[in-house]
Amino acid sequence: MKTLSSVKCFEGQQLQLQHESAALSCTMQFSVYLPPAAVAGKKVPVVYWLSGLTCTDQNFTTKAGAQRIAADLGIALVMPDTSPRGPQVPVDPDNSWDFGLGAGFYVNATQAPWKTHYQMERYVVDELPELVEAEFPLQPRRAICGHSMGGHGALTIALNHPNRYASVSAFSPIVAPSQCPWGRKALGHYLGESRESWLRYDTVALIRAGARQLPMLVDQGTADSFLAEQLKTDLLITACAEMGYKAQINYRDGYDHSYYFIASFIENHLKFHARHL
Amino acid sequence: MKTLSSVKCFEGQQLQLQHESAALSCTMQFSVYLPPAAVAGKKVPVVYWLSGLTCTDQNFTTKAGAQRIAADLGIALVMPDTSPRGPQVPVDPDNSWDFGLGAGFYVNATQAPWKTHYQMERYVVDELPELVEAEFPLQPRRAICGHSMGGHGALTIALNHPNRYASVSAFSPIVAPSQCPWGRKALGHYLGESRESWLRYDTVALIRAGARQLPMLVDQGTADSFLAEQLKTDLLITACAEMGYKAQINYRDGYDHSYYFIASFIENHLKFHARHL
């Protein structure tokens, strides 16, 4: 593992790192924020952040204002990239921004040519925690959070691995990829056209299949231009209500899909996780 | 004036705007944050933010986390660009990043070909406040703050126009452009080689010439790679001490020149201004 940069931030340390990923068969970059307590050597719990389409490890790191809160709460932040990267990684032949590079959808692909590199679920759930917990003063206490495609990633990963996460939260998540254009395109390519294989990567389907209860928080802006066609928050509200799944799902009046929305509510999310970590 | 974007942020409104600048003879973009009190129609005071080399109105707007604090304090933020822009604006023939586009140094240029467009002092001091105070619910109560080249801009503008600003602050400012490579290059081009004309754009020279006392706060990271050659904070400390100018100048151990530094201390700066506004 190589340190690309290390910068002091709110008395803690903001790092960008690079390593060879076995799960993804490529060189990956990611970012870590260590709060002052961890810089002083104390083991702290971790919140993983999964970003959305087109993002890297840098969007949340530079724009969300999360370090201030993480410093106060004594929580580390780990921000992976959103897909495998590099010249050997296959890309969408149409060069679209909603599939392929920057759009790994946090699944383990089963279809050629994607399956060699697009193993983002394994990377986020196993390889990255093992790496950072060995390298930094981190407790094996984890929460997971994300935005849009990363909100989908956080929810499905937490529901599929409830023993590994104390809590889960999402901003503007794609809650039912089987039922929206972004999701159908990505899951169709990564997993093939058999919809049965999509269900474990579909939050609404997982809730309806009886997923185990985890502390869950979701925020969704009402002025989000992707809400009606791609995000479909109401499907999650209905599924939770019908299955008795106790999630806290908030519509936020007038907020859009941007990092200005995330910045406005990230304090609520990190405090929510801190209560469960 | 045209609204390019309007996004809800911490219950206030983050705007990006475009207008035809008479002072700069070109189309300019700038950003404004209106706190919830202003969105509700109440007139609020304003902090102007001047960015550094290579920046636009977007760097501080997206990375500093200032909106949260401005919302709490009931202060508007106005972020101008760092130079005139557009196809008619002359650029450095060497295409460097420390002079010309993105590097207006907040001076009124007197030399051809720069003087037609590079009138950033007039723009920041007169044209922009007139525009935003007419358009938005803003009191004519102003403070000014900036980073690096923009720290130089904030300090020189406040010292030259003490009636227009209640207070001034800077992160990592160029305090003596006459005595550093960035400053000598820019002032030499914009103002000509007569060093007499540079003195009103040199904070240390202005303090030594007996500038009127204003509440002044400066933060400087000790791990800033530009400190020794370009920023030279000690020259300001010495000038203030010798002239009895009461400025609060802090070295911050281990912090660098980045927005992670600004984000870590912007709350102190905005609260400092709020006490004087």
Side-chain angles (χ1 to χ4, degrees):
Chain A
M1 195 167 69
K2 196 168 105 184
T3 302
L4 302 178
S5 74
S6 171
V7 177
K8 195 165 178 181
C9 182
F10 287 98
E11 297 295 305
Q13 195 178 14
Q14 181 61 57
L15 298 152
Q16 192 182 33
L17 303 136
Q18 182 175 296
H19 74 124
E20 299 305 313
S21 165
L24 306 178
S25 301
C26 65
T27 305
M28 291 294 286
Q29 296 184 0
F30 65 99
S31 289
V32 172
Y33 178 70
L34 297 176
V39 172
K42 191 185 161 216
K43 285 200 170 200
V44 296
V46 190
V47 174
Y48 288 80
W49 172 270
L50 304 184
S51 272
L53 290 166
T54 78
C55 289
T56 68
D57 63 306
Q58 288 294 289
N59 302 65
F60 181 81
T61 305
T62 60
K63 293 182 173 180
Q67 292 93 346
R68 176 185 62 86
I69 309 149
D72 275 357
L73 296 172
I75 286 176
L77 305 171
V78 175
M79 285 67 73
D81 204 343
T82 54
S83 76
R85 302 273 180 183
Q88 76 275 41
V89 173
V91 304
D92 185 354
D94 298 337
N95 269 318
S96 67
W97 53 269
D98 57 4
F99 172 65
L101 289 188
F105 271 83
Y106 305 101
V107 304
N108 294 333
T110 57
Q111 307 297 301
W114 316 108
K115 63 183 179 182
T116 311
H117 298 285
Y118 287 82
Q119 298 289 322
M120 287 297 290
E121 183 189 10
R122 288 206 287 138
Y123 179 69
V124 168
V125 174
D126 297 317
E127 187 179 21
L128 193 57
E130 193 175 321
L131 180 73
V132 296
E133 288 169 21
E135 195 72 26
F136 300 111
L138 304 180
Q139 298 170 16
R141 293 282 297 162
R142 308 172 201 95
I144 192 161
C145 182
H147 174 235
S148 195
M149 175 187 75
H152 146 76
L155 293 168
T156 55
I157 280 176
L159 293 174
N160 283 315
H161 306 275
N163 293 327
R164 294 192 52 86
Y165 300 96
S167 49
V168 58
S169 76
F171 292 86
S172 331
I174 303 167
V175 301
S178 313
Q179 300 184 55
C180 76
W182 283 342
R184 284 193 291 258
K185 178 178 180 181
L187 299 186
H189 285 296
Y190 292 134
L191 306 175
E193 289 306 326
S194 160
R195 299 220 169 185
E196 201 62 33
S197 67
W198 298 8
L199 297 180
R200 81 178 290 273
Y201 293 116
D202 184 303
T203 299
V204 164
L206 288 166
I207 299 272
R208 291 201 173 279
R212 204 178 90 195
Q213 182 78 45
L214 268 179
M216 181 185 290
L217 168 64
V218 173
D219 277 297
Q220 173 61 53
T222 62
D224 184 329
S225 58
F226 299 116
L227 175 54
E229 191 184 4
Q230 305 283 4
L231 308 177
K232 298 177 185 282
T233 316
D234 279 351
L235 295 177
L236 180 61
I237 293 173
T238 305
C240 287
E242 290 180 15
M243 298 298 294
Y245 197 103
K246 286 189 213 73
Q248 191 180 322
I249 306 173
N250 308 307
Y251 278 111
R252 299 296 187 179
D253 186 51
Y255 284 91
D256 76 352
H257 200 69
S258 72
Y259 267 84
Y260 294 115
F261 173 47
I262 297 171
S264 300
F265 293 96
I266 188 66
E267 184 162 348
N268 293 6
H269 283 239
L270 293 182
K271 287 182 169 171
F272 169 80
H273 292 300
R275 284 197 298 275
H276 299 287
L277 278 166
Chain B
M1 194 167 69
K2 196 167 106 183
T3 302
L4 302 178
S5 73
S6 171
V7 177
K8 196 166 177 181
C9 182
F10 288 99
E11 297 296 304
Q13 194 178 15
Q14 181 61 57
L15 298 152
Q16 192 182 35
L17 303 136
Q18 183 175 296
H19 74 124
E20 298 306 313
S21 165
L24 306 178
S25 301
C26 65
T27 305
M28 291 294 285
Q29 295 184 2
F30 65 99
S31 288
V32 171
Y33 178 69
L34 297 177
V39 172
K42 192 185 160 216
K43 285 201 170 199
V44 297
V46 189
V47 174
Y48 289 80
W49 172 269
L50 305 185
S51 272
L53 290 166
T54 77
C55 289
T56 67
D57 63 306
Q58 287 293 289
N59 302 65
F60 181 81
T61 305
T62 60
K63 293 182 171 179
Q67 292 93 346
R68 175 184 63 87
I69 310 149
D72 275 357
L73 297 172
I75 286 176
L77 305 171
V78 175
M79 285 68 73
D81 203 343
T82 55
S83 76
R85 302 274 178 182
Q88 76 275 40
V89 173
V91 303
D92 185 355
D94 298 337
N95 268 317
S96 66
W97 54 270
D98 56 6
F99 172 64
L101 289 188
F105 272 82
Y106 306 100
V107 305
N108 294 333
T110 57
Q111 306 298 300
W114 316 108
K115 63 183 178 182
T116 310
H117 298 285
Y118 287 81
Q119 297 290 323
M120 287 298 290
E121 183 189 10
R122 287 207 286 140
Y123 180 68
V124 168
V125 174
D126 296 317
E127 187 180 21
L128 192 57
E130 193 174 321
L131 181 72
V132 296
E133 288 169 18
E135 195 73 27
F136 300 112
L138 305 179
Q139 297 171 16
R141 293 283 297 162
R142 308 171 201 96
I144 190 162
C145 182
H147 174 235
S148 194
M149 174 187 76
H152 146 76
L155 291 168
T156 55
I157 280 176
L159 293 174
N160 282 314
H161 305 275
N163 292 327
R164 295 193 49 89
Y165 300 95
S167 50
V168 58
S169 77
F171 291 86
S172 331
I174 303 167
V175 301
S178 312
Q179 301 183 54
C180 76
W182 283 342
R184 284 193 290 258
K185 178 178 179 181
L187 299 186
H189 284 296
Y190 292 134
L191 305 175
E193 290 306 326
S194 161
R195 300 220 168 185
E196 201 62 32
S197 67
W198 299 7
L199 298 180
R200 78 179 293 271
Y201 294 116
D202 184 303
T203 299
V204 164
L206 288 166
I207 299 271
R208 290 200 175 280
R212 204 179 89 194
Q213 183 78 45
L214 268 180
M216 181 185 291
L217 169 64
V218 174
D219 277 296
Q220 173 62 53
T222 62
D224 184 328
S225 58
F226 299 117
L227 175 53
E229 190 184 5
Q230 305 283 4
L231 308 176
K232 299 177 184 281
T233 316
D234 279 352
L235 295 178
L236 180 62
I237 292 173
T238 305
C240 287
E242 289 181 15
M243 297 299 293
Y245 197 103
K246 287 189 213 72
Q248 189 180 324
I249 305 174
N250 309 306
Y251 279 110
R252 299 295 185 179
D253 186 50
Y255 284 91
D256 76 352
H257 200 68
S258 72
Y259 267 84
Y260 294 116
F261 173 47
I262 298 170
S264 299
F265 293 97
I266 188 67
E267 183 162 349
N268 293 5
H269 282 240
L270 293 183
K271 286 181 170 171
F272 170 79
H273 292 299
R275 283 197 298 276
H276 300 287
L277 277 166

